[in-house]
Amino acid sequence: MAAPRVCVFPSARELGPALSSFVLAEAARAVSQRGRFAVAVSGGSLVSLLAAELPEAAAREPEHPGANWSRWVLGFCDERLVPFESPDSTCGLYRKQLLSKISIPNNYVIAINPTLSVEEAADKYAERLRELFPGDNLPVFDLLILGIGPDGHTCSLFPDHPLLQEQSKIVAPISDSPKPPPKRITMTLPLLNAARCALFVVTGEGKAAVLKVRSCF
């Protein structure tokens, strides 16, 4: 396993272009080696950051091999069980802000069905992942773009929550999220740990303390 790298930027102005360049480079590598780029994203401030910078980065290099959107598979590291029209819907926000600007095929955007129960939504999402990663014991994403909350959570895996012990499911429901809305689905640690690359994008003073603690391990 490669040693983790930490890059610090003065502000989001410098972070955004660097993030987009990294994502496109990873996409180009994956397409070259495996014919497609499987990436899963998180919500929060990442949505506007990627939506502002990724299309612009691709426009600056229209022939960039990583900008071959037809070779992308886009998933979500976690999702809130709300309608896509809700401002709490990660998929809904990406559809409005990013997917309206780039042409990833709709059948390669892996979204939950928010009309199902949280347990059924998690099962269907896991089923869809397995369909898109046939033959793999665990779906292996080329890149996960993750955030960290002020309490140290990532995805919808919260400190001291029983889901941190989940080993059999690749996607799990959560009905008692400490952060609203309470009903969500989330990738579990076995799926996160199987990814080829995990990138944590952390901004804001409120997360500095927890990031410092986590970086010591």
Side-chain angles (χ1 to χ4, degrees), residues 2 15 26 48 60 106 152:
L15 169 61
E26 289 298 305
S48 57
R60 287 193 295 269
N106 190 55

Side-chain angles (χ1 to χ4, degrees), residues 24-35:
L24 289 178
E26 289 298 305
R29 188 199 322 273
V31 170
S32 172
Q33 295 177 355
R34 291 175 290 278

Side-chain angles (χ1 to χ4, degrees), residues 20-42:
S20 294
S21 294
F22 181 87
V23 172
L24 289 178
E26 289 298 305
R29 188 199 322 273
V31 170
S32 172
Q33 295 177 355
R34 291 175 290 278
R36 72 174 190 177
F37 176 51
V39 58
V41 294
S42 301

Side-chain angles (χ1 to χ4, degrees), residues 65-167:
N68 185 350
W69 311 119
S70 66
R71 298 300 184 99
W72 282 45
V73 174
L74 177 67
F76 300 93
C77 298
D78 68 329
E79 180 60 286
R80 293 84 174 260
L81 195 72
V82 295
F84 294 132
E85 297 76 20
S86 169
D88 286 327
S89 170
T90 298
C91 179
L93 292 175
Y94 273 104
R95 283 180 171 177
K96 292 176 184 176
Q97 297 184 35
L98 178 63
L99 297 179
S100 58
K101 302 175 185 177
I102 63 177
S103 51
I104 300 175
N106 190 55
N107 59 323
Y108 287 158
V109 176
I110 315 167
I112 69 164
N113 183 342
T115 67
L116 301 175
S117 71
V118 68
E119 293 82 7
E120 291 173 320
D123 288 343
K124 289 294 184 182
Y125 191 86
E127 182 180 308
R128 181 64 177 140
L129 286 182
R130 294 197 182 280
E131 289 174 356
L132 289 171
F133 293 83
D136 291 345
N137 290 329
L138 278 174
V140 178
F141 279 87
D142 297 302
L143 176 64
L144 302 178
I145 308 179
L146 301 160
I148 297 177
D151 60 355
H153 82 270
T154 191
C155 298
S156 286
L157 299 172
F158 294 89
D160 302 319
H161 195 279
L163 279 184
L164 293 173
Q165 309 305 319
E166 179 62 54
Q167 293 296 318

